[in-house]
Amino acid sequence: MSDRLTQAQAVMQSLPHAQSLGMILAEMSAGQATITMPYDPRLIGDPATGVLHGGAISALMDTASGAAVMCHPSAPAATATLDLRIDYMRPATPGQAITARAVCHHVTRTVAFVRVTATDADESRPVAMGTGTFTLERPPA
Amino acid sequence: MTRKPPEPVEVVKSRREAALARLVAGVPYIGFLGARFDRRGDELTAVLPFHPSLIGNPAIPALHGGATAAFLEVAAIIELAWSSLWQDMEEGRIDPAAETFPALPKTITFTVDYLRSGLPRDAYARATVTRRGRRFATVQVEAWQDNRAKPFAQASAHFLLPEP
């Protein structure tokens, strides 16, 4: 793995909020990132069903999207979310980890475009899908 | 003509506080984030006290975009549930101490815009129910920190309402 990717991984794993949600960086390569968040009762939105709160899934999808931007071949110096739209297709199955896969599919000089999908153990039926735009700070020339 | 005397203010207040507390306590994730709700009459303000675990980028440092999104979503859901609970409670259809409590709305889509980076300070949010239909509702929510006129994030969401 290149130095840049190793560095990006270290940055990702030092984010306090990502850490407090228990996120694990599973994969990171050329504009693609996969992050997993184990099931945790503290993140429940509806105790009657045990389903995770949408906010926790949004946080996971935002983190995976930012990671995908950071490891894009254009080698950004920094990124920040401009906007993120998430469609929740079905409740996540209680007890199962959530995995977010993000792809930074296009960048301009200043903006990065990302698609992100969240799944539980049944990967054929996504829990949520999102699209986002991110700022792109180019490293000083 | 005899008129029913108005309820003592303490009774009214404690009923409303109990209903809000029960609604908020019903979502474990709100406790995880550390958010709470201030009430003035029926108006709610969501408050997110700053905590180091909410930081996304330690270099700036800035609030994590995910924490901001989650805070806005929580503010939107609670406002939506609270506004219908309020009506039912004031018209005597729901007793906040009753065993059954209405189910929460489910998020269908959530779109958040980040306007400036979140500072390592307390954050506030207010949500407005733009439209409530029979099955669907639309909510707008805005969050700010030091300066009410300078929101740092806004969101718009569609919710599926619980079956009556």
Side-chain angles (χ1 to χ4, degrees), chain A residues 61-141:
Chain A
M61 293 172 84
D62 181 72
T63 308
S65 302
V69 174
M70 285 308 288
C71 69
H72 188 268
S74 62
T79 187
T81 320
L82 275 172
D83 74 46
L84 184 63
R85 175 202 163 108
I86 297 178
D87 298 341
Y88 293 95
M89 274 111 76
R90 67 174 176 95
T93 307
Q96 296 181 357
I98 305 292
T99 299
R101 286 182 182 80
V103 180
C104 175
H105 58 87
H106 183 77
V107 299
T108 69
R109 210 155 43 79
T110 49
V111 182
F113 299 84
V114 180
R115 278 192 290 266
V116 55
T117 306
T119 53
D120 56 17
D122 180 358
E123 296 194 356
S124 64
R125 294 188 308 133
V127 165
M129 293 183 79
T131 52
T133 55
F134 288 72
T135 64
L136 196 74
E137 270 178 55
R138 298 284 186 170

Side-chain angles (χ1 to χ4, degrees), chain B residues 27-101:
Chain B
V27 185
Y29 185 71
I30 296 177
F32 172 84
L33 263 188
R36 56 184 174 77
F37 288 81
D38 285 353
R39 185 186 66 82
R40 302 276 181 278
D42 70 342
E43 183 196 65
L44 294 185
T45 306
V47 181
L48 184 67
F50 175 71
H51 190 274
S53 71
L54 300 173
I55 289 289
N57 185 342
I60 303 180
L63 288 186
H64 192 288
T68 302
F71 176 53
L72 288 166
E73 190 169 339
V74 158
I77 287 192
I78 293 297
E79 176 64 41
L80 182 57
W82 171 251
S83 61
S84 69
L85 180 65
W86 174 272
Q87 254 181 346
D88 286 340
M89 181 174 63
E90 294 303 304
E91 287 163 22
R93 287 190 298 269
I94 282 184
D95 172 8
E99 245 168 65
T100 54
F101 213 55

